[in-house]
């Protein structure tokens, strides 16, 4: 737009757009340099909206995310077999890949690969890919072994992943390549095996120690008539796999997801591919769109690290501007980072608090307690308070104090009682700012319950 043109007052849509970009920014920063493995079935290529998915993938690449794409090719394989009057045979839910099926697998995998490469090469001026150059690489990264003979059935060229060459993958990702992995593997004896895309994706994510493994589901992620919960722990999945009625696709992705988490992949996401924009919403919004699987609870309370400082400052600045917290410079927070503790939600700092011990007086100050506005009212403030109370107790301290101007009631409701400034440790009293006129509240840690 020409900057000198008169501009119309911003419409709701423009405001919404700006708000959206601002809300997505922390995710954009958090994802940069991370490794994501994204798996999708061959069905995706048959969908007229597949170019939209490729554009989203290109955008993620543009945001500096290291991407491994794992594709299936089941409909393409089945079509080729049908053309020959044959079909893929399944025994006990496992496919049997005979010589004829293997030839179709190779052909289908080749075609799928070329189509994806072509779409990632698009650079038309009026498309979302304008000016983008995405180098894509594929190769013999997967060593496979035969599934073998089970209950007398020879599964022939159906295989399992034996190992993934993570060194080559890492080197390629570090060079800015997008790695494309077919559902194929090779044995040291030169044989080719037909693998499941879920197995390849899980193994690649585990070998790379990927930050995210994302399965784009073809069907609906439905559990007993309703959608899957937005968060699942690996132990929930074990229970579901034993007790719930799940589609084969969902069960195989849940199984692979739980296994990936146990093998060190931090987050596994199940996203319904057919919902427009679902991948972007899952990765760039607070709410997400799918189901997040993790080995540990989604949010982690931990000591702050130096790289958390921008996130801590983002939480504190608006509160300082409203006079709720006193101003602290970046240097001040950097120097004091060892006192800070954060609630980390998928790499984002959503709450923080600091604990300053005064051992001579057997006291500790609770400072900088802040929960991101989007995450308030769900017990996070209380969780931080309980955690820091526990830390103070562990250090042999008996009382916790806080200076507050606008949050007195919150502390009172959690066992703090009003006190005069004479209750403060000497060093703190010397620094007390009478103009700010903060109220002092103290809590006896010996009489308060232990953290659950
Ligand atoms: C105070 C704060 C940390 C609470 O975090 P939280 O995760 O929302 O806390 P919880 O979910 O444990 O508690 C929520 C309850 O506290 C209440 N609450 C929130 N702010 C409050 C305030 N200033 N005074 C009194 N009660 C308050 C909420 O209304 C809610 O009560 P309800 O459950 O009856 O509706 C958060 O509101 C915040 O960051 N506030 C701004 C910073 C601040 O005041 N920090 C303290 C500086 S001394």
């Amino acid at each position: 737009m020409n900057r000198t043109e008169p501009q119309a007052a911003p419409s709701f849509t423009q405001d919404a757009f700006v708000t959206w970009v601002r809300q997505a920014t922390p995710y954009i920063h958090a994802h940069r340099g991370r490794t994501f493995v994204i798996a999708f079935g061959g069905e995706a290529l048959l969908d007229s909206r597949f170019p939209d998915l490729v554009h989203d993938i290109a955008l993620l690449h543009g945001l500096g995310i290291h991407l491994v794409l794992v594709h299936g090719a089941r409909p393409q394989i089945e079509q080729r077999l049908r053309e020959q009057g044959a079909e893929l045979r399944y025994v006990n839910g496992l496919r049997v890949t005979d010589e004829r099926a293997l030839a179709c697998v190779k052909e289908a995998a080749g075609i799928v690969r070329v189509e994806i490469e072509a779409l990632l090469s698009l650079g038309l001026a009026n498309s979302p890919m304008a000016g983008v150059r995405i180098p894509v690489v594929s190769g013999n990264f997967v060593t496979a072994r035969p599934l073998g003979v089970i209950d007398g059935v020879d599964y022939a060229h159906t295989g399992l992943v034996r190992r993934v060459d993570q060194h080559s993958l890492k080197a390629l990702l570090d060079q800015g390549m997008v790695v494309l992995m077919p559902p194929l593997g090779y044995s040291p004896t030169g044989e080719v095996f037909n693998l499941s895309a879920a197995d390849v994706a899980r193994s690649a994510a585990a070998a790379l120690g990927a930050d995210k493994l994302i399965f784009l589901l073809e069907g609906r992620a439905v559990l007993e008539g309703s959608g899957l919960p937005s968060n699942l722990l690996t132990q929930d999945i074990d229970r579901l796999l034993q007790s719930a009625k799940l589609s084969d696709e969902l069960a195989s992705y849940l199984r692979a997801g739980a296994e990936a988490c146990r093998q060190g992949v931090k987050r596994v996401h199940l996203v319904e591919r057919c919902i427009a924009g679902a991948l972007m919403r899952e990765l760039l919004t607070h709410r997400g769109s799918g189901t997040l699987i993790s080995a540990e609870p989604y949010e982690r309370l931990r000591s702050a690290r130096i790289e958390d400082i921008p996130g801590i400052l983002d939480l504190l600045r608006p509160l300082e501007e409203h006079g709720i917290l006193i101003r602290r410079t970046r240097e001040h927070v950097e120097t004091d980072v060892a006192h800070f503790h954060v609630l980390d939600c998928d790499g984002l700092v959503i709450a923080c608090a600091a604990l300053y011990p005064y051992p001579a007086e057997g006291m500790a100050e609770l400072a900088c307690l802040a929960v991101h506005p989007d995450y308030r009212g769900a017990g996070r403030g209380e969780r931080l308070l309980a955690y820091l109370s526990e830390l103070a107790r562990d250090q042999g301290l008996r009382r916790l104090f806080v200076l507050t101007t606008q949050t007195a009631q919150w502390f009172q409701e959690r066992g703090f009682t009003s006190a005069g400034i004479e209750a403060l440790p000497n060093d703190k009293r010397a620094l007390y700012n009478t103009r700010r006129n903060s109220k002092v509240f103290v809590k006896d840690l010996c009489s308060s319950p232990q953290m659950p």
Side-chain angles (χ1 to χ4, degrees), residues 67 152 168 241 257-258 272 282 322:
L67 289 176
S168 300
L241 287 171
E272 291 181 26
E282 179 69 8
H322 286 94

Side-chain angles (χ1 to χ4, degrees), residues 319 324-325 368-372 375-383 402-411 413-414:
L319 299 168
I324 297 172
L325 296 177
C368 297
L369 173 64
V371 176
H372 186 285
Y375 293 86
R376 286 185 193 158
R380 292 182 177 89
E382 190 140 352
R383 194 173 158 207
V402 63
L403 294 173
T404 182
T405 52
Q406 298 178 30
T407 322
Q409 220 176 351
W410 191 87
F411 288 106
E413 286 171 13
R414 281 149 189 88

Side-chain angles (χ1 to χ4, degrees), residues 241-309:
L241 287 171
Q242 280 176 5
S243 60
K245 268 194 155 208
L246 304 167
S247 68
D248 285 351
E249 185 199 31
L250 186 56
S252 81
Y253 284 155
L254 284 173
R255 199 172 290 115
E259 218 173 311
C261 286
R262 292 199 175 98
Q263 291 174 318
V265 177
K266 295 180 192 84
R267 303 272 181 255
V268 178
H269 301 252
L270 300 186
V271 177
E272 291 181 26
R273 182 190 63 77
C274 294
I275 300 176
L279 177 63
M280 303 314 275
R281 272 193 286 132
E282 179 69 8
L283 295 176
L284 299 177
T285 64
H286 287 314
R287 276 173 172 279
S289 68
T291 296
L292 175 71
I293 303 169
S294 54
E296 298 165 15
Y298 178 49
E299 291 169 11
R300 217 152 48 95
L301 231 174
R302 57 169 177 79
S303 309
R305 301 188 281 254
I306 205 83
E307 56 272 25
D308 296 321
I309 287 173

